[in-house]
């Protein structure tokens, strides 16, 4: 995006659109993260006191919420898609299909709109620009569901891995777990958004991207509560030994991730989605349709030839 584009958006009423989806097993603080990111309670908590009700929400749901926020002086129309129920079953293959189908459906809607002679000027482009995948803080390595899910979806969406409830680790444990997760990601050939450093990048940009790459996966702490620290209210969690602050860079990576999503890398994530991931999907889809059309045409030719053949 050019500076002229940014100035136009700052001075105009139209908000910059950004779409993301948040995926991960229950109990990792995804809803709290979404509410913190949106700065309002847009996703209700799903805590059940009755154990019998814990099995109710087994089918995965796709719940988009849209809010308008402001970052760096320009408006953003932020759509966050919550996916409650993911990973709650023994066989989660249907979960994978549900999320993959949702992402591809947004591509299909854009492809359909592009094919029209007269396009709708009010058409909403709901293509997903990034998928945040929350990893359980096991302290060991990626689980099978983590590997299979990220491998399956990495060809159609930017994936940024995150560790939920990272305050369950000591700093050393967190550092070791991050290292093991990234080793697994590379070992299994999973494509995640790793903040690539380009030759044309200036020194400051290259250093920033390298620093962000070293933070992967982002360690996330969530809280709906405010606690008093040195005479000021901060969002965080109170423990017997002290306070963990959500927006303290020394405590977790939430602030850095928020900046990536809503400021520093928002345009790059959109650009990769629209110019690379979507174009690859579009080419594959059209190729399959052309192949199907060719086979149907060949069948008609064969049927016509058979009808005129001497009996």
């Amino acid at each position: 995006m050019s500076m002229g584009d940014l100035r136009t958006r700052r001075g105009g009423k139209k908000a910059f659109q950004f779409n993301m989806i948040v995926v991960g097993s229950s109990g990792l603080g995804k809803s709290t993260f979404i509410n913190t990111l949106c700065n309002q309670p847009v996703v209700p908590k799903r805590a059940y006191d009755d154990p019998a009700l814990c099995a109710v929400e087994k089918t995965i749901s796709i719940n988009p919420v849209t809010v308008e926020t402001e970052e760096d002086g320009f408006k953003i129309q932020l759509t966050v898609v919550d996916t409650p129920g993911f990973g709650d079953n023994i066989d989660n293959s249907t979960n994978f299909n549900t999320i993959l189908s949702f992402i591809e459906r947004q591509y299909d809607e854009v492809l359909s709109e592009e094919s029209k002679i007269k396009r709708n000027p009010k058409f909403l482009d709901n293509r997903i620009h990034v998928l945040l995948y929350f990893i359980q803080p096991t302290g060991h390595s990626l689980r099978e569901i983590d590997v299979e899910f990220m491998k399956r979806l990495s060809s159609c969406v930017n994936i940024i891995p995150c560790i939920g409830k990272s305050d369950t680790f000591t700093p050393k444990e967190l550092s070791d777990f991050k290292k093991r997760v990234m080793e697994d990601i590379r070992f299994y050939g999973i494509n995640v958004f790793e903040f690539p450093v380009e030759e044309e990048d200036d020194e400051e940009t290259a250093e920033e991207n390298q620093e962000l790459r070293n933070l992967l996966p982002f360690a996330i702490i969530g809280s709906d509560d405010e606690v008093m620290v040195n005479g000021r209210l901060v969002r965080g969690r109170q423990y017997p030994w002290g306070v963990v602050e959500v927006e303290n860079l020394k405590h977790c990576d939430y602030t850095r991730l928020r900046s990536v999503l809503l400021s520093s890398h928002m345009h790059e994530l959109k650009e990769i989605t629209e110019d690379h991931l979507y174009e690859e999907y579009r080419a594959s889809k059209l190729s399959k349709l052309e192949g199907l059309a060719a086979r149907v045409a060949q069948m008609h030719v064969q049927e016509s030839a058979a009808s005129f053949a001497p009996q």
Side-chain angles (χ1 to χ4, degrees), residues 34-68:
I34 293 172
N35 291 336
T36 303
L37 185 69
C38 296
N39 201 29
Q40 55 185 289
V42 295
V43 178
K45 288 188 175 182
R46 285 174 290 271
Y48 297 115
D49 294 328
D50 185 352
L53 296 177
C54 292
V56 171
E57 199 171 52
K58 287 297 184 183
T59 303
I60 188 173
S61 301
I62 303 291
N63 300 336
V65 293
T66 301
V67 298
E68 189 166 290

Side-chain angles (χ1 to χ4, degrees), residues 243-304:
V243 175
V244 174
E245 301 175 39
V246 172
E247 296 178 310
N248 190 324
L249 293 174
K250 296 180 180 179
H251 294 181
C252 76
D253 303 325
Y254 166 79
T255 300
R256 299 304 302 273
L257 177 58
R258 187 182 192 280
S259 176
V260 164
L261 298 173
L262 302 183
S263 182
S264 64
H265 289 73
M266 179 171 62
H267 176 61
E268 185 175 356
L269 290 165
K270 285 176 66 77
E271 190 176 64
I272 292 173
T273 299
E274 296 168 4
D275 297 345
H276 299 283
L277 298 173
Y278 167 69
E279 288 300 325
E280 289 177 4
Y281 176 83
R282 175 180 175 276
S284 175
K285 184 89 172 185
L286 292 178
S287 177
K288 291 177 181 177
L289 290 175
E290 289 174 358
L292 178 61
R295 289 195 295 272
V296 171
Q298 182 64 31
M299 289 174 58
H300 288 164
V301 169
Q302 293 174 350
E303 290 173 356
S304 297

